[in-house]
Amino acid sequence: MELIIEWDVRILYWIHQGWSSSVLDVMAPLIRNKFIWLPLYISIVTYILSRNSLYRSSYILLLIIGSVILTDMTSGQFLKKYVERLRPCQEPIHTYHIQPKVRCSYSYSFPSAHATNHFGLATILTFALGWRGKQKRWLLFGWALAISVAQVYVGIHYPLDVLAGGLLGVVLARFYLRLARFWVPDSILASL
């Protein structure tokens, strides 16, 4: 475990310091800001509503909302409180190596809720938008990856936090889709 933690810190320093640039200092805080993505979220909802009946759209939007609730509750409300890993910006040992680019949160670090939520959202949207098996799905996962790496760059997460969060998000979203078979009509699930 010590070796894993050592590599986690090394990669944190490499991303936070080694990638340091004035452009990323501006872009990374924006990329990880949930409000910057509101136009994208609105566009996705509009796209779903315009391409489907209201009945079908309702179920798709419930799938998306339920998945986000599941990923956020699991990472933010349960696992973070159980693991209790401090953020890099809270650790005195990193004071000389990490200059946070955003306000340092006082919540715990592992797993990254941003990574869990966005990888879960990318997974569920891949199905909801009908992009499974299409190259477009990589846009969604690239977007989730950019948000996750930005969390490390700004100094509020370790790489292992976002890696675990990303994997957790995908697993939870897939699990949620399997559970949906019990309450979503077959006609809707068959087209996802």
Side-chain angles (χ1 to χ4, degrees):
M1 192 65 177
E2 259 182 53
L3 183 62
I4 293 171
I5 299 297
E6 181 183 328
W7 274 101
D8 200 26
V9 171
R10 284 185 186 191
I11 295 169
L12 166 71
Y13 290 172
W14 175 64
I15 292 172
H16 186 76
Q17 297 170 340
W19 295 10
S20 186
S21 76
S22 56
V23 172
L24 284 177
D25 286 354
V26 172
M27 293 302 296
L30 288 175
I31 289 170
R32 63 165 298 281
N33 186 325
K34 61 186 171 193
F35 297 111
I36 203 79
W37 298 108
L38 278 177
L40 176 65
Y41 301 143
I42 292 168
S43 297
I44 289 169
V45 170
T46 303
Y47 178 81
I48 290 169
L49 290 170
S50 70
R51 308 269 300 184
N52 301 284
S53 68
L54 185 57
Y55 174 76
R56 187 171 189 282
S57 294
S58 300
Y59 275 103
I60 292 171
L61 293 174
L62 281 173
L63 280 169
I64 292 168
I65 292 166
S67 176
V68 170
I69 291 169
L70 176 64
T71 57
D72 194 59
M73 295 289 286
T74 303
S75 62
Q77 301 301 315
F78 175 69
L79 288 175
K80 281 187 184 207
K81 292 176 182 175
Y82 178 75
V83 176
E84 295 185 345
R85 185 181 196 191
L86 294 177
R87 294 178 182 274
C89 53
Q90 295 170 331
E91 295 265 13
I93 194 169
H94 301 309
T95 304
Y96 298 107
H97 302 285
I98 300 294
Q99 278 75 46
K101 313 286 187 217
V102 296
R103 185 182 62 80
C104 186
S105 173
Y106 291 102
S107 64
Y108 292 113
S109 185
F110 184 91
S112 165
H114 271 75
T116 307
N117 294 344
H118 288 91
F119 272 94
L121 190 55
T123 302
I124 207 89
L125 286 174
T126 295
F127 288 88
L129 299 175
W131 288 4
R132 185 176 39 176
K134 296 184 180 177
Q135 295 300 325
K136 292 186 242 180
R137 74 175 180 246
W138 297 114
L139 292 172
L140 294 169
F141 287 99
W143 164 67
L145 180 63
I147 291 169
S148 299
V149 172
Q151 293 290 88
V152 177
Y153 183 83
V154 299
I156 60 171
H157 275 293
Y158 292 96
L160 196 55
D161 300 343
V162 298
L163 177 63
L167 291 172
L168 179 64
V170 171
V171 168
L172 287 173
R174 296 296 302 238
F175 173 73
Y176 184 69
L177 280 169
R178 288 195 183 274
L179 283 181
R181 292 180 178 160
F182 295 108
W183 61 274
V184 176
D186 289 338
S187 60
I188 292 173
L189 281 178
S191 62
L192 294 180

